[in-house]
């Protein structure tokens, strides 16, 4: 009976988005519990700029992203939710590119690479499969 409540739509994209939501929850907890740990690794070129406050703000953004991604994964046919989730990946990807290229707070290779890969993969996959889910 409960299986239908937790069933993801068909296809790989909903599963990928759901997994991204799960990892976002872990990242949120990590930024709240140990605010200087992972954040300083991501922004390794300027670790002195990472404070508990910046880490907590990052956690809040990541928590919002997790909620969007989770809801989108289960409601792939909701055009507004799909588009907002898409743009959340664009914002995340743009943020990390700017931190690498403009502000020089992160570098590749480094922990930022996995986050950037998830953002790019999500953006491209959501563009490719949009017509499958949004009718």
């Amino acid at each position: 009976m409960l299986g239908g409540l937790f069933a993801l739509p068909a296809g790989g994209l909903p599963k990928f988005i759901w997994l991204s939501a799960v990892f976002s929850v872990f990242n949120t907890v990590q930024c709240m519990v140990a605010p200087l740990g992972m954040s300083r690794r991501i922004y390794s070129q300027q670790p002195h700029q990472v404070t508990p406050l910046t880490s907590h703000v990052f956690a809040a953004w990541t928590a919002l992203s997790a909620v969007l991604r989770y809801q989108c994964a289960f409601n792939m046919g909701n055009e507004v939710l799909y588009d907002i989730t898409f743009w959340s990946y664009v914002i995340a990807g743009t943020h990390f590119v700017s931190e690498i290229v403009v502000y020089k707070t992160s570098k590749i290779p480094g922990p930022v690479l996995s986050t950037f890969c998830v953002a790019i993969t999500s953006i491209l996959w959501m563009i490719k499969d949009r017509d499958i889910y949004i009718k």
Side-chain angles (χ1 to χ4, degrees):
M1 180 174 157
L2 290 176
L5 291 176
F6 300 105
L8 288 166
L13 181 58
K15 293 165 186 66
F16 187 80
I17 292 173
W18 179 84
L19 190 59
S20 166
V22 170
F23 285 129
S24 293
V25 169
F26 287 124
N27 194 336
T28 297
V29 171
Q30 193 172 39
C31 286
M32 294 301 286
V33 173
L36 299 180
M38 181 56 79
S39 296
R40 282 199 171 152
R41 286 185 53 220
I42 290 173
Y43 303 101
S44 61
Q45 299 306 105
Q46 300 285 329
H48 62 280
Q49 290 186 18
V50 176
T51 66
L53 176 60
T54 59
S55 190
H56 294 155
V57 170
F58 192 75
W61 159 257
T62 306
L64 175 60
S65 297
V67 170
L68 280 173
R69 293 167 186 176
Y70 179 84
Q71 288 298 319
C72 183
F74 285 96
N75 299 284
M76 296 293 290
N78 182 321
E79 185 174 11
V80 172
L81 190 54
Y82 192 97
D83 290 346
I84 291 170
T85 303
F86 170 82
W87 284 107
S88 77
Y89 286 115
V90 171
I91 291 167
T94 302
H95 165 73
F96 287 113
V97 167
S98 71
E99 293 299 329
I100 295 164
V101 176
V102 177
Y103 303 113
K104 309 220 186 298
T105 58
S106 295
K107 67 176 182 169
I108 292 180
V112 73
L113 184 60
S114 61
T115 305
F116 181 71
C117 287
V118 168
I120 287 295
T121 300
S122 301
I123 290 165
L124 296 175
W125 202 346
M126 289 183 83
I127 290 169
K128 178 186 153 301
D129 283 5
R130 189 175 203 291
D131 291 340
I132 293 171
Y133 297 103
I134 306 300
K135 310 240 187 277

